[in-house]
Amino acid sequence: MDINTLLHEGRTIWGNQKLTLSEIIIRLNVSTGDLSRIARNSNKDQAAFTQEDLERELGNIIFSTIRWCDDLGLDPKTCIERAIECQERFAKQNSSR
C-alpha cells in the first residue's frame, strides 16, 4: 500500500475531523504506554501480551501517524522523507546508539 491509500483508508475509518497536536500527542501516548507495558514485561502482564499485540501497537502508530500528519496540514510523504534524511545523517555521525 502506498501512503495515499493508507491515508484514504484512515479517513474512511475515522472520518475527516482533524485532530490538534495536543489531541494527537494524547493518542500517541496511549500506544506508547501499551508498548511500555509490553517492554516492562511485569509478572502481571506477561500472559496478557503477545507478538500480535506488539504488531498491533506498532501498526497503530504507523497507520495513525499518516493521518495525523495530514490533520496538521503536513504531507505524510514529506514527513517520512525528512525522517529518513535525519536518520541517515544521525547514523553516519554516531557509530554507537
Side-chain angles (χ1 to χ4, degrees):
M1 287 188 203
D2 70 1
I3 295 169
N4 288 332
T5 301
L6 293 170
L7 178 57
H8 176 75
E9 189 167 343
R11 291 287 173 223
T12 299
I13 294 168
W14 293 103
N16 289 321
Q17 181 181 4
K18 309 286 185 179
L19 298 177
T20 65
L21 181 58
S22 296
E23 293 169 323
I24 291 167
I25 291 169
I26 291 166
R27 285 156 178 82
L28 182 58
N29 279 319
V30 170
S31 289
T32 303
D34 290 341
L35 286 172
S36 295
R37 280 187 287 287
I38 293 169
R40 180 179 58 193
N41 199 31
S42 70
N43 291 339
K44 74 176 188 66
D45 294 334
Q46 284 178 352
F49 294 112
T50 65
Q51 181 75 17
E52 187 175 304
D53 295 319
L54 180 58
E55 292 168 347
R56 181 193 65 239
E57 291 308 324
L58 288 172
N60 280 336
I61 292 170
I62 294 165
F63 185 49
S64 294
T65 300
I66 292 169
R67 190 179 74 257
W68 295 336
C69 290
D70 183 68
D71 285 353
L72 297 173
L74 304 170
D75 175 28
K77 184 178 179 198
T78 300
C79 292
I80 292 168
E81 289 168 351
R82 294 206 192 289
I84 291 168
E85 292 167 3
C86 181
Q87 289 184 27
E88 287 174 338
R89 192 170 43 254
F90 181 87
K92 286 178 186 173
Q93 295 172 352
N94 299 281
S95 59
S96 65
R97 298 183 190 43

